[in-house]
Amino acid sequence: AIDIAFPTNREHSSTKPIYFILHGLNGGSHEEYVRELVIRRTKEGHTCIVMIARGLSDTPVFGFNVFHGARVSDVDASAKAIRKGLAPNQMLAGVGYSMGAIILSNYIARSGSKCQLDSGIAVSGGLDMRENLNFQRSMRLWQPMLAQSLKEDFIMKKFDGRFRLRLTKEEHLSLMRASSVSEIDVHAIVTYNGFDSLMHYYTGKSSESNHFT
């Protein structure tokens, strides 16, 4: 799903760059840093488009393929659809925040010459997500707050039925007891989506890794 904000003068420009924005984990176009960018750019006459990650902002998901951070095909499909409406030589500029920055960097790195974006700006993302396993301080300090929000909003309110169908009772219990994002990733992402391990998943999220398929 995409949300589109046109310039404040209500006149879409066919010459100014269009901003294609990826929000953070468990977010959407309502996030304050996304809105701040959109408000500033639309005042300057730009059109801004926010891609909503699967299932977030109350968008429906059909089937079992809910959001995970190693998937870049949604970005490619959205960018291709947007590019069809661009004027000749009009720039499509990607902007990603946090998890959106991770996915944006990964998409650009994987796509190479087939990338649908003309430029990319990654804010507070990462290039090698395997290093997350070494950040013990973040697991103790801020990840518990984010983990609780993920469990309440992303899992329990939206996709708990899907997780219960794919996880054993023991795995689901461990997911509900998770106190860090990495612990949630073990069952909500790795086990649920069939990754070989947490390292396999984090390799898939890393734009420095070119051997992931």
Side-chain angles (χ1 to χ4, degrees):
I2 57 175
D3 283 344
I4 303 175
F6 291 102
T8 51
N9 62 7
R10 299 185 181 182
E11 294 182 7
H12 170 71
S13 172
S14 60
T15 59
K16 291 187 176 182
I18 289 179
Y19 288 91
F20 177 53
I21 306 165
L22 306 184
H23 59 73
L25 183 65
N26 205 29
S29 56
H30 61 279
E31 289 181 324
E32 292 300 325
Y33 44 81
V34 172
R35 294 182 66 222
E36 191 271 344
L37 173 67
V38 170
I39 289 171
R40 287 176 179 268
R41 297 291 84 85
T42 52
K43 285 182 179 179
E44 296 173 352
H46 296 274
T47 295
C48 295
I49 301 175
V50 182
M51 189 191 85
I52 307 300
R54 295 189 186 203
L56 300 186
S57 296
D58 296 324
T59 56
V61 173
F62 302 96
F64 283 84
N65 292 327
V66 300
F67 170 82
H68 71 66
R71 182 185 290 115
V72 298
S73 56
D74 290 352
V75 177
D76 187 61
S78 298
K80 284 180 179 176
I82 294 168
R83 185 161 286 284
K84 290 180 180 179
L86 300 187
N89 300 318
Q90 188 171 17
M91 177 179 288
L92 182 60
V95 181
Y97 292 92
S98 191
M99 177 62 77
I102 294 170
I103 296 173
L104 176 67
S105 298
N106 197 13
Y107 167 66
I108 293 173
R110 287 201 203 185
S111 301
S113 61
K114 296 181 180 179
C115 182
Q116 298 296 313
L117 305 176
D118 297 298
S119 65
I121 304 169
V123 182
S124 298
L127 299 178
D128 191 346
M129 304 316 299
R130 294 167 293 189
E131 291 297 325
N132 276 345
L133 298 175
N134 300 323
F135 295 155
Q136 297 297 322
R137 185 171 181 269
S138 71
M139 294 181 188
R140 297 192 308 270
L141 184 61
W142 59 263
Q143 285 196 33
M145 293 181 286
L146 187 53
Q148 187 62 31
S149 175
L150 284 171
K151 286 189 291 185
E152 292 178 356
D153 298 333
F154 184 74
I155 298 173
M156 297 172 65
K157 290 183 180 180
K158 296 179 180 179
F159 303 118
D160 191 53
R162 290 175 172 86
F163 285 109
R164 288 180 181 274
L165 286 174
R166 283 198 173 180
L167 304 181
T168 65
K169 290 183 178 180
E170 291 76 14
E171 289 167 343
H172 188 271
L173 181 59
S174 295
L175 174 59
M176 291 296 98
R177 290 176 173 173
S179 60
S180 70
V181 175
S182 295
E183 286 182 312
I184 289 180
D185 284 343
V186 169
H187 295 302
I189 304 298
V190 174
T191 304
Y192 180 87
N193 291 285
F195 288 96
D196 295 337
S197 63
L198 190 59
M199 180 62 76
H200 184 214
Y201 171 51
Y202 284 173
T203 299
K205 287 172 63 177
S206 300
S207 54
E208 289 190 352
S209 305
N210 57 18
H211 59 277
F212 182 83
T213 58

